[in-house]
């Protein structure tokens, strides 16, 4: 189906006079064959060449050296482009790049119409595709009214409706909630198994890669590994050195092996890991019912409930208060939608707060109220005791103190160099040149960007580096609040941990309030002090993560999830082991399980 033979590709950056100033080799002598009907996952760190390779499959890019064939057609042959793209449909990371119609169902129908598919068949395909990504109920909506994750579902449906022989998915689930993520992966798997469609999945989610027949790992433009998921993910340390990780169950098994448990290699799923634990328990003659009495230290009371501070105490701090806030989109039109309903929240100095919710729940609407990009239809928002909707209130000052980094960092980068982009905000505040320079350089250093990046164009950077530039531009203005909308979407594990680790340090060292919007329950569990769950515009939970994740069934009904380790401990309980409530971090679970089998808490 896809045959890449020794392909090489370079990105060339030129200055204003078209002189070559930088050459970046994205692919180096890549040879890769994908058979018809295969499901192949391609993994790699940011900048490894995954997306560049994907664009070659769809003939968006063509090799400078070597050749790539799709169903025997050379992608360099211009007269074959239309046929190649009918054979290999592509879903991009950013859905805005491929949504063109003004109504959802028309956008999904666009591809089949251009292929000459009969009208009746188009209708069937549109319905089936939108139902598969859970967007049939929004078929009459304008894509402009959708959230980023909902747009991504529509883009996927548009490709599915064309029923190509091959679908290339470039980080298709990065902006989706947990339920939407698995809907998409299940749909891709179903198309592969039932219709024989070749699937090429580019992902940083290792648990998605388990579903593939074969895994290919790229690094610095080269293919460095290839094999079945079991073969690849057994090489834990090699993958870690490449900035990658392994699936949750494999990671847990590896940690338990290191702690002294004789877990077999090659574990990929939670059920396989539980089977291994059951085998060990049987071999050691462990009585599961007696474990709780032997190790009572893990069966603790719930963590203290989050208590909001009183109004008088809040006014003494830098604080943001939502008081019965409501907001509607399209008021008085056919598209009217209640996005926020009676929201009451407080945010105080130095907190690290996480916000989660299903796609379209109101998360982005909520955070756009924090710095006055949107103003409430009902209720009041106070910043440091002042109503931000008052006519004489300075929104310029508010936005310098409450910085917002959007889902797609390229939407807020526009200057010629990294330094100029970071310095833009401080310059607009009218600061002295010396302070602008100091704050800008300090911010660039603080987010971990390399010293040689100052004069580079921000558009030449990787996705993770662009996010760092966007965050640095906010930090340079000395904000009191840093609001991050999906800052790690599309990042490799190393980049994700680096950014969140740096943000956590900034929160702690500078006393900045951080608000993190994320679909990753693991990120929420590992970093935030408090989490807020929003569902259809209403606040459902507002508490410490351990207490919120104890409501696993309710969260799943909202299209969310709990951390994988929490779900795993629930599965263990159903297999006869003692219940371990409030476990939301992997090391906690490792310590508990090791204590069961080795008779010590091993802390």
């Amino acid at each position: 189906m896809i045959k890449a033979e020794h392909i090489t590709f370079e990105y060339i950056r030129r200055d204003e006079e078209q002189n070559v100033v930088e050459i970046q080799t994205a692919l180096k002598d890549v040879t890769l064959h994908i058979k018809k009907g295969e499901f192949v996952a391609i993994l790699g760190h940011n900048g490894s060449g995954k997306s560049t390779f994907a664009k070659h499959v769809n003939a968006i890019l063509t090799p400078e050296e070597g050749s790539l064939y799709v169903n025997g057609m050379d992608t360099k042959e211009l007269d074959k482009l239309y046929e190649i793209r009918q054979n290999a449909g592509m879903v991009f990371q950013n859905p805005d790049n491929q949504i063109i119609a003004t109504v959802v169902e028309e956008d999904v129908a666009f591809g089949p119409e251009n292929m000459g598919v009969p009208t009746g068949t188009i209708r069937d395909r549109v319905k089936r595709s939108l139902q598969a990504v859970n967007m049939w109920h929004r078929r009459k909506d304008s894509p402009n009214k959708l959230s980023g994750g909902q747009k991504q579902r529509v883009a996927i449906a548009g490709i599915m409706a064309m029923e190509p022989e091959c679908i290339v998915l470039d980080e298709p689930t990065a902006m989706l909630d947990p339920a939407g993520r698995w809907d998409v992966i299940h749909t891709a798997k179903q198309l592969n198994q039932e219709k024989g469609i070749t699937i090429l999945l580019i992902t940083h989610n290792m648990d998605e890669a388990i579903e593939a027949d074969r895994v290919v790992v790229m690094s610095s433009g080269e293919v460095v590994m290839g094999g079945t998921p079991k073969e690849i993910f057994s090489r834990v340390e090699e993958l870690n050195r490449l900035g990658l990780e392994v699936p949750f169950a494999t990671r847990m098994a590896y940690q338990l092996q290191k702690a002294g448990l004789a877990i077999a290699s090659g574990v990929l799923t939670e059920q396989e890991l539980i089977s291994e634990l059951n085998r060990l328990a049987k071999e050691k003659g462990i009585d599961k019912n007696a474990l709780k009495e032997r190790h009572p230290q893990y069966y603790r009371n719930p963590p203290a409930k989050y208590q909001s501070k009183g109004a008088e105490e809040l006014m003494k701090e830098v604080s943001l208060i939502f008081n019965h806030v409501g907001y509607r989109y399209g008021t008085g039109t056919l598209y009217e939608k209640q996005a926020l309903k009676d929201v009451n929240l407080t945010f105080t100095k130095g907190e690290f707060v996480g916000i989660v919710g299903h796609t379209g729940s109101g998360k982005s609407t909520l955070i756009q109220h924090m710095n006055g990009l949107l103003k409430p239809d009902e209720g009041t928002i106070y910043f440091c005791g002042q109503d931000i909707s008052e006519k004489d209130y300075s929104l310029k000052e508010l936005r310098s103190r409450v910085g917002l980094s959007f889902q797609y960092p390229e939407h807020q980068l526009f200057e010629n160099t990294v330094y100029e982009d970071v310095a833009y905000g401080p310059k607009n505040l009218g600061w002295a040149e010396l302070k602008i320079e100091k704050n800008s350089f300090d911010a660039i250093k603080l987010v971990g960007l390399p010293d040689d990046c100052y004069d580079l164009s921000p558009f030449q950077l990787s996705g993770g580096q662009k996010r760092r530039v966007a965050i640095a531009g906010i930090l340079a203005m000395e904000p009191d609040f840093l609001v991050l909308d999906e800052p790690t979407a599309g990042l490799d594990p190393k980049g994700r941990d680096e950014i969140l680790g740096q943000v956590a340090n900034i929160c702690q060292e500078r006393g900045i309030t951080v608000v993190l919007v994320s679909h990753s329950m693991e990120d929420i569990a590992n970093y935030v002090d408090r989490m807020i769950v929003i569902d259809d515009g209403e606040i459902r939970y507002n508490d410490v993560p351990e207490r919120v994740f104890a409501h696993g069934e309710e969260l799943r009904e909202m299209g969310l999830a709990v951390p994988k380790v929490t779900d795993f401990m629930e599965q263990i309980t159903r297999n006869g082991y003692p219940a371990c409530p409030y476990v939301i971090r992997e090391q906690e679970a490792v310590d508990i399980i090791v204590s069961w089998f080795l008779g010590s808490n091993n802390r």
Side-chain angles (χ1 to χ4, degrees), residues 147 150 337 339-340 356-363 534-538:
S147 68
Q150 289 170 324
K337 181 181 184 297
L340 296 178
V356 302
H358 59 78
T359 303
S361 62
K363 303 184 302 295
I534 185 169
D535 178 43
D536 291 331
E538 298 183 75

Side-chain angles (χ1 to χ4, degrees), residues 267-307:
V267 169
L268 286 179
T269 67
E270 288 90 336
Q271 193 53 55
E272 289 175 359
L273 180 53
I274 290 172
S275 295
E276 279 297 295
L277 293 177
N278 287 339
R279 176 184 61 78
L280 281 181
K282 185 176 181 180
E283 289 176 1
K284 289 177 173 286
I286 290 174
D287 181 358
K288 296 176 184 178
N289 294 323
L291 290 175
K292 185 172 181 177
E293 295 178 9
R294 282 172 47 198
H295 301 285
Q297 67 270 30
Y298 292 112
Y299 310 99
R300 51 193 171 93
N301 293 323
K305 184 175 175 61
Y306 167 75
Q307 296 290 338

Side-chain angles (χ1 to χ4, degrees), residues 90-109:
M90 183 164 180
V91 178
F92 298 96
Q93 289 178 344
N94 186 343
D96 289 328
N97 293 342
Q98 64 189 106
I99 291 179
I100 57 173
T102 57
V103 178
V104 165
E105 64 181 356
E106 291 178 1
D107 193 88
V108 176

Side-chain angles (χ1 to χ4, degrees), residues 290-503:
L291 290 175
K292 185 172 181 177
E293 295 178 9
R294 282 172 47 198
H295 301 285
Q297 67 270 30
Y298 292 112
Y299 310 99
R300 51 193 171 93
N301 293 323
K305 184 175 175 61
Y306 167 75
Q307 296 290 338
S308 178
K309 297 182 180 181
E312 185 176 335
E313 190 176 359
L314 283 171
M315 296 309 176
K316 295 176 182 177
E317 302 178 340
V318 174
S319 61
L320 185 65
I321 302 172
F322 281 64
N323 185 39
H324 299 289
V325 169
Y327 184 79
R328 289 180 177 83
Y329 286 108
T331 302
T333 72
L334 292 173
Y335 299 109
E336 182 172 331
K337 181 181 184 297
Q338 182 87 39
L340 296 178
K341 306 171 189 175
D342 195 32
V343 171
N344 293 283
L345 291 171
T346 61
F347 300 87
T348 58
K349 183 176 175 61
E351 281 192 293
F352 197 143
V353 183
I355 299 179
V356 302
H358 59 78
T359 303
S361 62
K363 303 184 302 295
S364 294
T365 302
L366 178 68
I367 63 173
Q368 287 179 63
H369 278 76
M370 290 183 176
N371 72 347
L373 287 176
L374 297 175
K375 292 187 178 181
D377 297 325
E378 303 163 3
T380 311
I381 297 173
Y382 299 96
F383 184 71
C384 294
Q386 291 184 281
D387 182 350
I388 69 170
S389 296
E390 290 181 356
K391 289 183 179 180
D392 58 347
Y393 188 84
S394 172
L395 288 177
K396 180 179 179 181
E397 181 184 356
L398 174 67
R399 289 166 188 165
S400 71
R401 300 182 68 183
V402 181
L404 173 59
S405 175
F406 297 99
Q407 285 182 348
Y408 302 108
E410 56 269 29
H411 289 178
Q412 62 192 100
L413 304 178
F414 54 87
E415 287 284 8
N416 293 321
T417 68
V418 167
Y419 173 79
E420 289 171 346
D421 215 298
V422 173
Y424 180 83
K427 282 181 180 177
N428 272 331
L429 294 174
W431 290 351
E433 189 61 38
L434 189 61
K435 182 174 182 179
I436 293 171
E437 186 173 313
K438 181 181 184 305
N439 279 33
S440 299
F441 282 118
D442 285 351
I444 290 170
K445 184 177 181 180
L446 193 62
V447 298
L449 284 165
D451 292 338
D452 59 358
C453 78
Y454 302 119
D455 296 324
L456 294 179
S457 165
F459 300 103
Q460 297 295 321
L461 304 179
S462 70
Q465 290 173 322
K466 286 177 183 176
R467 283 177 172 82
R468 293 171 196 247
V469 174
I471 293 170
I474 295 169
L475 293 175
M477 295 189 290
E478 300 180 351
D480 298 302
F481 279 67
L482 178 60
V483 184
L484 305 172
D485 193 0
E486 295 285 357
T488 63
L491 297 190
D492 57 49
K494 182 180 178 182
R496 174 202 66 207
D497 291 341
E498 285 178 351
I499 281 186
L500 290 179
Q502 286 158 349
V503 168

Side-chain angles (χ1 to χ4, degrees), residues 576-592:
Y577 295 90
C580 297
Y582 312 114
V583 174
I584 64 172
R585 299 176 187 90
E586 291 179 17
Q587 190 58 52
E588 295 173 348
V590 170
D591 289 344
I592 292 172

Side-chain angles (χ1 to χ4, degrees), residues 10 48 65 170 188 293 444 475 483 532 544 557 580:
E10 296 175 334
S48 63
E65 296 178 17
D170 189 1
E293 295 178 9
I444 290 170
L475 293 175
V483 184
I532 296 164
V544 295
E557 288 174 358
C580 297

